[in-house]
Amino acid sequence: SQDSEWSLVDETGTPLSSCDGLLDACLQRRDSQRMIVGVKRGNGQQPVWLLACVRKQVDHQGELEQVVATFTDVSVCQRRED
């Protein structure tokens, strides 16, 4: 469950329930997935914008070994675009 003090939004400001779609897309395909996610805090401040990158790693037999996710703060860049 999500903390009521925090919420996730996509680039258009549409609420997201989670980043599960990003993980699902990565697992179903062979390539990495990227998504800009806004994290809104309940204090009314501007959201923190993160570039979420998810990449799966498979072993020599093509079996899933692990999923690596990184998050990079892109707030400055995102605010310039707004």
Side-chain angles (χ1 to χ4, degrees):
S1 90
Q2 201 169 356
D3 187 329
S4 63
E5 296 292 319
W6 300 78
S7 61
L8 299 175
V9 295
D10 68 11
E11 289 182 89
T12 67
T14 302
L16 297 170
S17 60
S18 70
C19 290
D20 289 346
L22 183 64
L23 180 60
D24 291 342
C26 177
L27 292 174
Q28 292 174 8
R29 302 167 74 190
R30 291 213 173 265
D31 55 352
S32 62
Q33 299 294 308
R34 295 175 181 219
M35 177 182 203
I36 300 285
V37 179
V39 180
K40 295 176 80 173
R41 296 166 277 187
N43 58 11
Q45 292 181 357
Q46 290 186 344
V48 172
W49 293 99
L50 302 173
L51 172 60
C53 298
V54 179
R55 181 172 54 99
K56 69 179 178 180
Q57 294 180 339
V58 296
D59 63 18
H60 63 280
Q61 295 176 340
E63 296 294 320
L64 180 65
E65 197 166 68
Q66 65 183 351
V67 175
V68 177
T70 60
F71 298 89
T72 304
D73 186 344
V74 294
S75 299
V76 173
C77 295
Q78 190 69 15
R79 288 186 190 118
R80 284 185 191 148
E81 290 180 13
D82 290 343

